[in-house]
Amino acid sequence: MSRKSARELALRLLYAADLNDASPEEVLGEINADAFTSLRAEDELYSALPSPSERVYISAILHGVADHRAELDAAIDRYAIGWPLGRISRVAVSILRLCMFEILYMDDADVPDAAAINEAVELARGYDSEEAAKFINGILGSFVRAEKKKA
């Protein structure tokens, strides 16, 4: 599994946690051989279990987003001008939370801002719409410019 695939799996688990009001531990339990074996035929993402380093990354994303959810949601509200959080699709919100967490809390050498934004836009194209991808790109671009000025 690649980092890109690990990010995609993290997104799916973030979305599932949000949808089901589940804890990170509950959704991390979905990363097991039985689940991957049963889903392998339906989805290429499940062709291989994450490596130990990918599991650490996925867990960091899930726990970090859960721990910083209020802060991340406030940032989404601040930069999605005219779009209250409840009006944005849950998938787009999950993508925004994931990317903003990577930018704010993950080592820049591990996840450069431009790469995090590019991956977020690609996830939006795959899981939402081209309009959502543009919306996410705009929010994240404004977010990075403003947050980097503060640093």
Side-chain angles (χ1 to χ4, degrees):
M1 176 174 277
S2 66
R3 172 56 69 97
K4 182 176 182 166
S5 295
R7 183 178 286 110
E8 184 176 356
L9 183 56
L11 169 64
R12 289 184 184 189
L13 295 172
L14 280 174
Y15 178 78
D18 186 42
L19 193 63
N20 299 309
D21 197 28
S23 70
E25 287 77 22
E26 289 172 305
V27 294
L28 283 167
E30 298 299 316
I31 302 176
N32 63 64
D34 290 339
F36 272 64
T37 299
S38 68
L39 294 169
R40 186 171 291 137
E42 297 174 31
D43 192 331
E44 187 178 321
L45 183 63
Y46 297 96
S47 62
L49 281 167
S51 69
S53 66
E54 291 160 346
R55 284 177 181 262
V56 167
Y57 165 79
I58 292 166
S59 179
I61 293 290
L62 291 169
H63 284 97
V65 168
D67 292 345
H68 297 280
R69 184 172 172 160
E71 175 190 356
L72 297 170
D73 288 354
I76 293 168
D77 275 336
R78 193 167 43 255
Y79 295 102
I81 298 166
W83 285 80
L85 201 62
R87 190 171 164 210
I88 303 169
S89 77
R90 281 186 160 175
V91 171
V93 169
S94 294
I95 293 169
L96 288 164
R97 287 174 179 154
L98 188 158
C99 186
M100 287 177 170
F101 176 79
E102 283 184 320
I103 290 168
L104 290 172
Y105 296 103
M106 301 203 72
D107 182 13
D108 191 48
D110 192 37
V111 185
D113 296 347
I117 292 170
N118 184 59
E119 290 296 326
V121 170
E122 289 303 313
L123 286 168
R125 285 186 178 125
Y127 286 92
D128 207 316
S129 66
E130 185 60 35
E131 292 78 25
K134 290 175 185 175
F135 179 72
I136 286 170
N137 188 49
I139 291 170
L140 293 174
S142 296
F143 169 76
V144 166
R145 284 188 297 278
E147 295 301 314
K148 292 300 174 176
K149 283 182 184 177
K150 292 179 185 177

